[in-house]
Amino acid sequence: MATRKHGADDNFSNKDQTKKVNLDTILIEDIGQFGMYQFRILLLTVVFVILTAFSAMEFVFTTARINTRCLIPECEDIEEADFLPSWISNAVPGTDSSVDACHRYDSLNINTSIAECPAEWFDRHVIVKCSNYVYENSDTVVHHFGLACNEWGRTIIGSVQTFGGLVSLPITGFISDHWGRRFALSWNAINIAWLGIVRYWIDNYYWFIAVEIIKAVLGAGGFSCAYILVMELVGPKYRVPAGATINTFFSVGQIILSLIAWRVPYWKNLILALYIPQFIFISYFWIMSESVRWYMSKGRYDKAEEFLKNVARVNRRELSEKSIQLLKESAESEKVQASRDSSAREPWLAALVFRHKVILRRCCVSPVWWVASALIYYGMSINAVDLVGNRYINYVAVAAAEIPGYWLAVLLMDRIGRKPVLVGAYWTCAACQLAYIFTPADFHGAILSTYLIGKLSIAIVMMSLYIYTAEIYPTKYRHSLLAFSSMIGRIGSIVAPLTPALGASIWQYFPSTLFCVFALVAGALVFLAPETLGTRLPDTMEEASVIGVQRKTH
């Protein structure tokens, strides 16, 4: 009997020793999923995210449209020209309060005189383009680089910035994986700061564009670093609320940006006000903790152990030596398995996708969701400054409308399901775009209300899409397939800054029409994917393929 008991104890001991322990297990059972330590990191992160919003959306104000009109050399001097003189309707089409930005009446006068400007000097039947311009103010780069009536030249600045952000992602990922998340964050922050300020002294449009691209390529990946740092330290139960908090403070950053731009409208002074504070993030290399998961991935178990013990101490929890040992053994076991898997010949991911038609269909539709959400989200933010009324107040309202959207997504996704939330949000946004187009221009309150509801709806989509896309793909390829959708989705954010130019050259409401069509199509394509509420995350292609089938059979 004694021998049998001894053998049973040995078996129990062996099972206990081979128990798989990962960092989520440590967070849940030992150091706490969200304690004081995680709160401190989240607090540091949201400060960084607020200033990240400055650099991400600053072009909305520094490149904003300025009211212009033709210079009338027969009647005025460029040095002392008044934007709306009493005689302006004699020379320029429009009314006393609103004039054509790019055209004037042809001149009949041979002898010029600045003292007077009668209607008889102009042929009101012939309209010609301006040869020179008068600007209402000099607040943005439109005046500095002479971009009056050059909508493409103005809007391309925002587009090249978002393109640079696309290029920045793999560069930041490489730096983050090799030298750590903390180093990557500091690297991005310092590049954003000094390259943002360098533009103060640039007087050539093409050099300005070049620096804008370099700034984005070398510095636009900071948000992803901050996001990963938080997600890798917070327990599973709190990751969605933590993500919503980060997104919320990105919106808060946009609100603060608009208020600063209102107080400091001149673009050169504005970039100094926005970018000089970015230098404080150099200190994050010392005050922000490195990701424990990065330490583990590099085999730096001593650093990981020191870090976890510090988290446990701050959170007033106990971390046993046994848990640390099991974590090391599990990590080593995973490395050995990964080495075996890499040595074994495995089909190319694209080939695997084509073998599983259900997964192939999802790989075709999910990028459309991402393109639509990025195009509408950024497009509505950028076009907000062109709404009737104070551009700064309008931008504040549109940014603030995102915040309840993020938390509605958190509230609804686990109650009514992922698909109803996405379809409802997409189609509500589409309905708002239609309402915006057909609402009479003098109904200012109704126009702003529909615009805000549309922005709230697309914020729900932005929050929900990360979770839903991750849930429809298998564990082994989840990151790669989600990254594929996200990278394609960047097309939407690149096109978004061009929508004001499209509206000016095609039709005033073309951007809203574009947003409406993409929202309708994206919402309809959600029906081609399964509901994932209450399902276990799939580990293999086969498991991912039968998510919807399994739910129907029950």
Side-chain angles (χ1 to χ4, degrees):
M1 291 292 291
T3 303
R4 289 183 62 188
K5 184 177 180 181
H6 179 73
D9 289 343
D10 282 346
N11 286 336
F12 179 80
S13 176
N14 289 337
K15 286 179 182 178
D16 190 59
Q17 289 296 320
T18 57
K19 175 186 175 184
K20 293 289 183 182
V21 173
N22 57 30
L23 283 167
D24 282 349
T25 308
I26 297 290
L27 287 167
I28 294 168
E29 298 181 0
D30 292 277
I31 65 177
Q33 297 194 59
F34 191 86
M36 182 54 67
Y37 194 94
Q38 286 96 334
F39 176 77
R40 291 178 183 176
I41 296 299
L42 183 61
L43 190 62
L44 289 171
T45 299
V46 298
V47 173
F48 178 80
V49 166
I50 288 172
L51 271 72
T52 298
F54 293 178
S55 57
M57 303 304 294
E58 152 259 304
F59 72 90
V60 173
F61 297 102
T62 56
T63 68
R65 185 184 290 126
I66 297 176
N67 290 330
T68 61
R69 66 167 175 86
C70 292
L71 175 71
I72 312 298
E74 301 95 321
C75 309
E76 60 187 343
D77 189 296
I78 185 72
E79 301 295 331
E80 300 177 357
D82 180 20
F83 186 71
L84 286 177
S86 58
W87 49 260
I88 192 63
S89 59
N90 296 336
V92 179
T95 66
D96 290 339
S97 59
S98 177
V99 295
D100 192 301
C102 307
H103 300 87
R104 53 162 289 178
Y105 296 125
D106 198 12
S107 176
L108 295 175
N109 186 57
I110 298 175
N111 299 314
T112 62
S113 170
I114 295 177
E116 55 181 322
C117 200
E120 292 78 17
W121 286 7
F122 306 96
D123 185 350
R124 300 176 69 85
H125 301 290
V126 180
I127 296 176
V128 296
K129 289 185 177 180
C130 304
S131 57
N132 209 340
Y133 297 88
V134 176
Y135 295 81
E136 187 173 28
N137 58 62
S138 59
D139 287 345
T140 78
V141 299
V142 171
H143 174 268
H144 190 72
F145 295 122
L147 300 177
C149 297
N150 185 356
E151 280 290 296
W152 293 106
R154 180 180 74 84
T155 57
I156 200 71
I157 297 172
S159 192
V160 298
Q161 176 178 300
T162 51
F163 175 77
L166 171 64
V167 179
S168 174
L169 290 176
I171 295 174
T172 299
F174 178 83
I175 294 172
S176 175
D177 289 341
H178 282 75
W179 293 290
R181 283 64 163 126
R182 181 177 55 185
F183 177 83
L185 186 149
S186 301
W187 160 268
N188 279 272
I190 188 65
N191 285 327
I192 279 287
W194 78 268
L195 286 166
I197 292 172
V198 159
R199 296 173 304 157
Y200 182 95
W201 292 280
I202 295 178
D203 291 323
N204 179 277
Y205 172 75
Y206 296 102
W207 275 109
F208 190 89
I209 289 285
V211 173
E212 195 72 42
I213 296 175
I214 297 169
K215 174 173 74 77
V217 168
L218 298 182
F223 181 87
S224 62
C225 297
Y227 198 94
I228 289 170
L229 272 169
V230 173
M231 293 300 110
E232 292 187 337
L233 183 57
V234 172
K237 182 179 178 181
Y238 294 94
R239 281 179 191 148
V240 172
T245 301
I246 292 172
N247 287 333
T248 295
F249 278 90
F250 187 83
S251 299
V252 170
Q254 293 183 74
I255 293 170
I256 297 172
L257 163 65
S258 185
L259 296 175
I260 294 173
W262 194 2
R263 183 67 181 86
V264 188
Y266 182 56
W267 73 276
K268 285 195 172 188
N269 295 337
L270 178 60
I271 62 174
L272 292 180
L274 296 178
Y275 287 93
I276 288 176
Q278 306 270 357
F279 283 105
I280 67 171
F281 296 120
I282 299 173
S283 64
Y284 272 40
F285 186 76
W286 293 277
I287 64 176
M288 178 72 86
S289 60
E290 183 53 83
S291 167
V292 63
R293 295 176 192 267
W294 183 77
Y295 282 141
M296 297 293 294
S297 71
K298 295 299 180 183
R300 298 173 65 176
Y301 300 125
D302 55 336
K303 285 284 189 181
E305 179 179 350
E306 179 185 344
F307 175 85
L308 291 171
K309 286 181 176 179
N310 188 35
V311 176
R313 178 183 60 79
V314 174
N315 288 350
R316 298 182 180 180
R317 302 286 290 267
E318 291 291 334
L319 178 63
S320 66
E321 293 293 335
K322 184 178 180 181
S323 293
I324 293 174
Q325 184 60 34
L326 289 173
L327 179 63
K328 291 179 184 177
E329 291 174 0
S330 295
E332 287 297 328
S333 175
E334 288 174 4
K335 281 189 175 182
V336 171
Q337 185 61 44
S339 178
R340 290 173 181 170
D341 291 343
S342 62
S343 61
R345 297 194 63 180
E346 186 179 76
W348 187 31
L349 177 56
L352 278 175
V353 169
F354 275 92
R355 287 181 193 174
H356 297 82
K357 302 304 181 186
V358 174
I359 303 300
L360 176 60
R361 184 171 64 199
R362 292 175 198 169
C363 288
C364 291
V365 300
S366 62
V368 180
W369 304 335
W370 286 78
V371 170
S373 60
L375 172 66
I376 300 168
Y377 176 86
Y378 289 107
M380 292 191 73
S381 293
I382 291 163
N383 285 276
V385 297
D386 294 325
L387 292 171
V388 175
N390 184 297
R391 69 171 55 167
Y392 305 105
I393 294 176
N394 288 340
Y395 193 88
V396 165
V398 170
E402 301 171 14
I403 296 173
Y406 297 137
W407 294 99
L408 273 173
V410 174
L411 181 68
L412 295 175
M413 285 189 75
D414 288 334
R415 287 168 172 78
I416 65 173
R418 277 58 164 151
K419 288 176 67 174
V421 169
L422 281 168
V423 174
Y426 271 127
W427 285 359
T428 299
C429 182
C432 289
Q433 303 303 322
L434 278 177
Y436 176 76
I437 293 170
F438 291 105
T439 302
D442 54 343
F443 284 48
H444 302 316
I447 289 173
L448 184 59
S449 297
T450 55
Y451 204 90
L452 296 180
I453 295 171
K455 192 61 188 294
L456 180 148
S457 300
I458 205 63
I460 292 175
V461 171
M462 293 290 283
M463 183 65 207
S464 307
L465 210 51
Y466 277 95
I467 299 169
Y468 184 61
T469 307
E471 290 177 338
I472 62 175
Y473 291 126
T475 299
K476 190 170 184 180
Y477 307 104
R478 182 170 296 123
H479 197 163
S480 297
L481 294 176
L482 190 149
F484 167 73
S485 297
S486 179
M487 292 283 281
I488 298 296
R490 288 277 177 166
I491 295 172
S493 59
I494 292 170
V495 172
L498 301 177
T499 53
L502 291 170
S505 60
I506 299 174
W507 180 42
Q508 177 185 354
Y509 295 111
F510 181 80
S512 294
T513 305
L514 191 67
F515 301 156
C516 178
V517 170
F518 268 89
L520 285 172
V521 171
L525 291 178
V526 174
F527 287 107
L528 298 179
E531 177 56 68
T532 57
L533 177 62
T535 62
R536 185 178 67 84
L537 284 176
D539 292 320
T540 65
M541 287 287 191
E542 290 73 20
E543 289 178 5
S545 298
V546 298
I547 293 175
V549 177
Q550 288 177 340
R551 290 182 63 85
K552 289 176 183 177
T553 57
H554 290 293

